[in-house]
Amino acid sequence: MTRASLDKQPHEVASMFDDVAERYDLTNDVLSLGQDRVWRREVAKAVDARPAQKILDLAAGTATSSLPFARTGAYVVPCDFSLGMLRVGKKNHPWLPLTAGDATKLPFKDDTFDAVTISFGLRNVQETDTALSELYRVTKPGGRVVICEFSHPTWAPFRTVYTEYLMRALPPVARAVSSNPDAYVYLAESIRAWPNQPELAEKLRKAGWSKVAWRNLTGGVVALHRGFKAA
């Protein structure tokens, strides 16, 4: 079994997600106490996909996150660099155009998508700034980005409790339900090391996105960032 380190070597991260692919959606449901479904609904609202629009769902994993966009009549491309995740996604959703791709070198032309989104995946990319620039490149002028990522709770007492949960409770729970529990130790460590809400917003601006804003979910456990590419 593979556990990635915090320097996020791409082959280590991809292999780690290959190992957890079969039970990934179930594990997320258990570890988040069902909150992941709420967060994904909020992502769908923020992306606001419309019929015939082209949507890139990066780090789509098994493509569960892509389904709400497809239901609107949009053309959604689930993209991930874990072949194990894509295999499970293709088995479960054979009609979706699942695509293998690296966030730092996306296999799409400039100005392709009306909206680009990534949920719980940007944190696992070795070069965050490069990925944000690539998302900008493949977005049409006037298009939008929505990023859903674990963040930092805004209320200090809750932040302390949450950190304790991540480092103490999450690993034993993961051992009970995941096919690779060590991957979730990495998950906890990577959440603690991730930039806070204003810092991620600044990274988006530096990549070229305008009108950048964010909204906290579950008290800041998760943050939704959104930005636009100038028309």
Side-chain angles (χ1 to χ4, degrees), residues 201-221:
E202 184 57 27
K203 285 180 175 291
L204 279 158
R205 293 187 193 98
K206 285 182 178 178
W209 298 97
S210 61
K211 300 179 184 176
V212 174
W214 74 85
R215 180 161 59 93
N216 290 316
L217 304 176
T218 318
V221 168

Side-chain angles (χ1 to χ4, degrees), residues 87-146:
R87 285 190 200 100
V88 174
K90 198 65 179 176
K91 181 174 66 177
N92 295 337
H93 316 295
W95 64 91
L96 288 173
L98 286 97
T99 303
D102 183 336
T104 64
K105 291 173 284 191
L106 290 173
F108 308 108
K109 294 180 179 179
D110 296 359
D111 307 334
T112 297
F113 297 97
D114 296 283
V116 295
T117 183
I118 179 169
S119 293
F120 309 111
L122 188 61
R123 195 184 70 260
N124 300 315
V125 177
Q126 188 177 39
E127 298 172 17
T128 305
D129 296 337
T130 302
L132 292 175
S133 296
E134 274 291 273
L135 285 170
Y136 186 86
R137 178 183 67 77
V138 301
T139 302
K140 293 178 182 178
R144 57 211 181 273
V145 63
V146 174

Side-chain angles (χ1 to χ4, degrees), residues 18-227:
D18 289 346
D19 288 343
V20 301
E22 286 291 345
R23 304 182 73 182
Y24 182 71
D25 293 322
L26 169 65
T27 304
N28 285 348
D29 223 16
V30 171
L31 293 178
S32 71
L33 307 177
Q35 285 294 296
D36 61 316
R37 301 183 188 189
V38 176
W39 299 331
R40 293 194 188 282
R41 282 199 295 270
E42 292 302 317
V43 171
K45 290 179 189 175
V47 171
D48 192 25
R50 306 290 175 85
Q53 285 190 336
K54 291 182 179 177
I55 312 294
L56 172 62
D57 185 16
L58 187 58
T62 62
T64 299
S65 59
S66 304
L67 297 178
F69 310 127
R71 292 188 193 110
T72 68
Y75 178 77
V76 57
V77 178
C79 182
D80 203 285
F81 73 163
S82 164
L83 297 182
M85 286 285 200
L86 292 172
R87 285 190 200 100
V88 174
K90 198 65 179 176
K91 181 174 66 177
N92 295 337
H93 316 295
W95 64 91
L96 288 173
L98 286 97
T99 303
D102 183 336
T104 64
K105 291 173 284 191
L106 290 173
F108 308 108
K109 294 180 179 179
D110 296 359
D111 307 334
T112 297
F113 297 97
D114 296 283
V116 295
T117 183
I118 179 169
S119 293
F120 309 111
L122 188 61
R123 195 184 70 260
N124 300 315
V125 177
Q126 188 177 39
E127 298 172 17
T128 305
D129 296 337
T130 302
L132 292 175
S133 296
E134 274 291 273
L135 285 170
Y136 186 86
R137 178 183 67 77
V138 301
T139 302
K140 293 178 182 178
R144 57 211 181 273
V145 63
V146 174
I147 296 170
C148 181
E149 187 53 88
F150 288 110
S151 198
H152 297 263
T154 53
W155 189 44
F158 176 56
R159 187 162 58 241
T160 301
V161 171
Y162 174 63
T163 302
E164 288 294 306
Y165 167 74
L166 282 177
M167 300 313 296
R168 296 190 182 188
L170 189 148
V173 173
R175 276 194 291 274
V177 295
S178 173
S179 53
N180 182 7
D182 281 349
Y184 289 86
V185 177
Y186 157 82
L187 176 114
E189 293 173 348
S190 66
I191 291 171
R192 292 209 309 177
W194 184 244
N196 65 23
Q197 291 88 325
E199 289 168 347
L200 181 55
E202 184 57 27
K203 285 180 175 291
L204 279 158
R205 293 187 193 98
K206 285 182 178 178
W209 298 97
S210 61
K211 300 179 184 176
V212 174
W214 74 85
R215 180 161 59 93
N216 290 316
L217 304 176
T218 318
V221 168
V222 165
L224 273 184
H225 283 70
R226 187 165 69 172

